């Protein structure tokens, strides 16, 4: 139907006859001379419909071109020639195609939005097929395709086996809610869609496959945001006979090579940072190192001050009092500072104190702050010295439990970094290691796994783990890039006794563990090798490579933040007859 792609026409084809197919991106009728910018997935080329040289010929082609409208679907045959006026903005800007035949394959009705407009995300998602036609979305999706191709080539060349694992599987707790599928042939029983292939890839290591990978579809029924979807794609990798550095060094080399190949970026080396250090310095387990601001602990400086919020938390067993220096931000208005407080409140803050350092050399007289009256001169000077504050800087303070203060001050650090233009250009990768094994859930009065229940603890002794569960460190690790966790993994538990002990600490009794994970516990008894792995978020990496903040921009048919597909109308009600076939009854809405 066509001989060439629109976006690949170049000077080497001058004088050739070509047949192109695509959409009319722009159509201009200049009265006997018509121009059409014809677009396909490779790009745009200018088509000219003009009278034949020295005659009034080609009238039918000109008449057809004059009626072409935006997004009409066309097939055009013509001759390539050099353009008189070069267009440097497009790849084909040196040439044009002189049309000898124009077929309108499908006339487009008036569109709900123009490709060169920004109609809002809801409209884009409702008419996703039109949105995907736009050059920007085509570019993003091609970046994603190149990413996946590059990953596959790298892994295939190094002996990893691409093995598919089940989509219909058993419901297991991995941190998020499962999507459940009723089993028609087993009334009252359900499959679950996998949150990840975690248990299957571990069992593949026990089965002797040594090196596995899969581009896996995963499903989690959880709240959505810019970097999360109900269904997503991850690169799953698992190794047998490995320790942490074996996994990390291998995939680090892979990621460097893939970024070099796909977007011509050199990532360089990856520094390593423990979870404890990341939280202390940046208030985040996925710190964006492009922002140089760091949190400074000042609890020791304010334990005896008269500001009760500080003293209470400074003397609390699990308290943290922390300061953040925002360079040059003393010019912010009171309204802008209040807006920062409102932002921090989203992350658990009950208030954010502040201090403008107008002239540190003047002591108290150089400080503008509503809390200065509660701090003596020595304390004010110590805080300024500890934070390295200079004239014109703004200091923000947080006081709460260690985790809450870290969370909201870390969020403020990111917001200020962006608002003040302090985010450096380039790429800043790192490994975050030595995560806590457990978190204590006050509401449930039990431990929960920080990564997942199959992560190995740093200690190899069951009794040691039980005695020191609150402070236990795991063998988990995350790869972080520009403040985004792009990969997370761990060395796995490979002994049945340790796995049972972890289940017990998580409040999963022996009977429940056998019912939910009996197959895993059994497999661990028969010579399971040490093994570990990692999973990378394909959507997140593609978004970073494409230069967009939302993974919805690199997923062909994403859901909204409300979990809906605006194009198809999913989710939707199911007829009673179809529900009866799978033995399901729906309760009326409350």
């Amino acid at each position: 139907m066509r001989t060439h792609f629109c976006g690949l026409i170049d000077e080497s084809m001058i004088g050739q006859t070509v047949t192109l197919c695509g959409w009319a991106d722009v159509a201009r009728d200049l009265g006997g001379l018509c121009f059409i910018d014809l677009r396909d997935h490779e790009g745009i080329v200018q088509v000219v419909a003009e009278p034949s040289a020295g005659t009034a010929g080609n009238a039918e082609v000109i008449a057809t071109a004059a009626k072409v409208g935006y997004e009409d679907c066309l097939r055009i045959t013509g001759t390539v020639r050099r353009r008189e006026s070069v267009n440097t903005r497009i790849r084909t800007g040196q040439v044009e195609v002189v049309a000898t035949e124009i077929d309108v394959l499908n006339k487009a009705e008036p569109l709900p939005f123009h490709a060169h407009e920004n109609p809002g995300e809801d409209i884009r998602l409702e008419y996703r097929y039109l949105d995907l036609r736009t050059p920007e979305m085509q570019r993003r999706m091609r970046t994603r395709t190149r990413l996946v191709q590059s990953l596959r080539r790298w892994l295939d060349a190094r002996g990893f086996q691409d093995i598919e694992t089940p989509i219909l599987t058993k419901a297991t707790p991995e941190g998020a809610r499962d999507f459940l599928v009723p089993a028609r042939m087993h009334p009252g029983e359900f499959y679950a869609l996998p949150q990840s292939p975690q248990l299957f890839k571990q069992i593949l290591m026990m089965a002797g496959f040594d090196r596995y990978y899969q581009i896996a579809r995963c499903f989690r029924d959880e709240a959505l945001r810019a970097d999360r979807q109900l269904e997503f794609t991850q690169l799953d990798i698992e190794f047998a006979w490995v320790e942490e550095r074996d996994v990390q060094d291998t995939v680090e080399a892979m990621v460097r090579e893939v970024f070099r190949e796909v977007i011509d970026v050199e990532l360089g080396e990856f520094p390593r940072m423990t979870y404890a250090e990341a939280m202390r310095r940046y208030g985040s387990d996925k710190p964006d190192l492009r922002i140089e601001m760091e949190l400074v602990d000042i609890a020791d400086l304010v334990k005896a001050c008269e500001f009760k919020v500080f003293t209470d938390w400074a003397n609390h067993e699990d308290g943290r009092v922390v300061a953040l220096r925002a360079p040059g931000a003393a010019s912010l208005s009171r309204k802008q500072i209040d807006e920062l407080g409102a932002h921090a409140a989203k992350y658990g803050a009950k208030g954010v104190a502040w201090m403008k350092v107008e002239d540190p050399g003047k002591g108290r007289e150089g400080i503008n702050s509503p809390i200065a009256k509660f701090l003596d001169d020595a304390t004010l000077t110590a805080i300024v010295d500890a934070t390295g504050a200079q004239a014109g800087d703004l200091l923000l303070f947080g006081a709460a439990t260690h985790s809450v203060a870290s969370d909201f001050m870390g969020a403020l650090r990111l917001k200020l970094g962006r608002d003040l233009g302090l985010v450096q250009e380039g790429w800043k990768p790192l490994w975050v290691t030595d995560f806590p094994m457990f978190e204590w859930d006050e509401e449930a009065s039990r431990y929960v796994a920080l990564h997942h229940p199959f992560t190995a603890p740093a200690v190899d002794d069951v009794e040691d783990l039980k005695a020191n569960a609150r402070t236990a460190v795991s063998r988990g690790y995350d790869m972080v890039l520009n403040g985004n966790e792009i990969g997370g993994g761990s060395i796995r538990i490979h002994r049945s006794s340790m796995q049972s002990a972890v289940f017990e600490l998580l409040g999963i009794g022996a009977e429940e563990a056998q019912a939910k994970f009996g197959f895993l516990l059994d497999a661990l008894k028969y010579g399971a090798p040490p093994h570990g792995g990692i999973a990378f978020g394909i959507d997140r990496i593609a978004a970073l490579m494409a230069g967009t903040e939302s993974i919805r921009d690199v997923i062909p048919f994403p859901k909204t933040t409300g979990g809906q597909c605006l194009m198809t109308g999913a989710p939707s009600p199911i007829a009673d007859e179809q529900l009866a076939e799978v033995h399901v009854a729906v309760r009326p809405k409350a």
Side-chain angles (χ1 to χ4, degrees), residues 11 32 47 115 132 135 187 191 242 356 383 385 432 471:
E11 293 171 279
V47 175
L132 287 169
Y191 300 105
V242 290
K356 292 184 177 183
I383 290 172
D385 289 346
V432 178
T471 57

Side-chain angles (χ1 to χ4, degrees), residues 463-477:
E463 295 308 317
D464 188 345
L465 177 67
K466 289 181 177 180
N468 300 287
R470 189 176 288 272
T471 57
V473 172
S474 79
R475 299 179 71 181
Y477 38 81

Side-chain angles (χ1 to χ4, degrees), residues 370-526:
I371 67 167
K373 60 188 177 184
F374 300 110
L375 307 173
D376 59 34
D377 291 349
T379 302
L380 283 173
T381 299
I383 290 172
V384 170
D385 289 346
T387 57
Q390 304 294 316
D393 291 348
L394 174 69
L395 297 180
L396 296 170
F397 302 93
T401 63
H402 195 280
S403 62
V404 172
S406 300
D407 284 348
F408 72 73
M409 291 301 288
L412 279 180
R413 174 182 172 272
L414 290 177
K415 179 173 174 56
L416 279 165
R418 291 164 184 158
D419 291 352
L420 300 176
L422 300 177
V423 183
Q424 300 172 353
E425 293 294 324
W427 302 85
K428 292 284 189 177
L430 80 153
W431 284 106
V432 178
T433 65
D434 300 322
F435 282 80
M437 186 73 183
F438 306 108
E439 286 181 312
W440 181 255
D441 187 328
E442 292 286 352
E443 190 173 325
S445 294
R446 66 178 182 87
Y447 289 112
V448 294
L450 194 69
H451 266 86
H452 54 61
F454 319 108
T455 298
V459 298
D460 204 30
D461 180 81
V462 168
E463 295 308 317
D464 188 345
L465 177 67
K466 289 181 177 180
N468 300 287
R470 189 176 288 272
T471 57
V473 172
S474 79
R475 299 179 71 181
Y477 38 81
D478 284 356
M479 182 183 285
V480 176
L481 181 59
N482 289 4
N484 298 273
E485 178 210 327
I486 61 171
S490 67
I491 299 302
R492 324 301 188 187
I493 297 168
H494 71 282
R495 293 193 181 96
S496 185
S497 58
M498 180 62 79
Q499 187 63 76
S500 295
V502 170
F503 285 154
E504 182 183 337
L505 286 166
L506 294 173
I508 302 173
E511 187 175 334
E512 182 184 359
Q514 190 61 39
K516 291 181 175 178
F517 303 105
F519 63 96
L520 173 68
L521 294 171
D522 288 344
L524 291 171
K525 296 175 183 176
Y526 299 111

Side-chain angles (χ1 to χ4, degrees), residues 124-133 137 141 144 217 229-232 539 551-560 563-568 570:
R124 289 176 56 209
L125 294 181
E126 183 177 355
Y127 298 95
R128 189 62 163 180
Y129 40 86
L130 298 178
D131 186 47
L132 287 169
R133 281 188 202 170
M137 286 302 298
M141 296 310 301
R144 182 189 179 109
R217 294 292 285 170
Q229 283 278 295
L230 299 179
E231 50 183 315
F232 56 95
D539 310 304
I551 63 172
R552 290 191 291 273
D553 288 333
V554 292
I555 297 174
F557 304 104
K559 305 292 189 292
T560 66
Q564 296 173 298
C565 174
L566 298 182
M567 186 182 75
T568 64

Side-chain angles (χ1 to χ4, degrees), residues 12 26 35 50 75 90 110 113 116 134 145 153 209 245 274 281-282 297 315 370 373 434 441 461 475 478 499:
S12 69
V26 176
F35 294 91
E50 62 183 15
R75 181 174 183 264
I90 57 176
F113 66 93
H116 304 289
T134 62
T145 297
R153 278 195 299 269
F209 285 95
R245 287 301 291 255
T274 65
R281 295 172 61 187
Y282 303 107
D297 285 291
N315 292 284
K373 60 188 177 184
D434 300 322
D441 187 328
D461 180 81
R475 299 179 71 181
D478 284 356
Q499 187 63 76

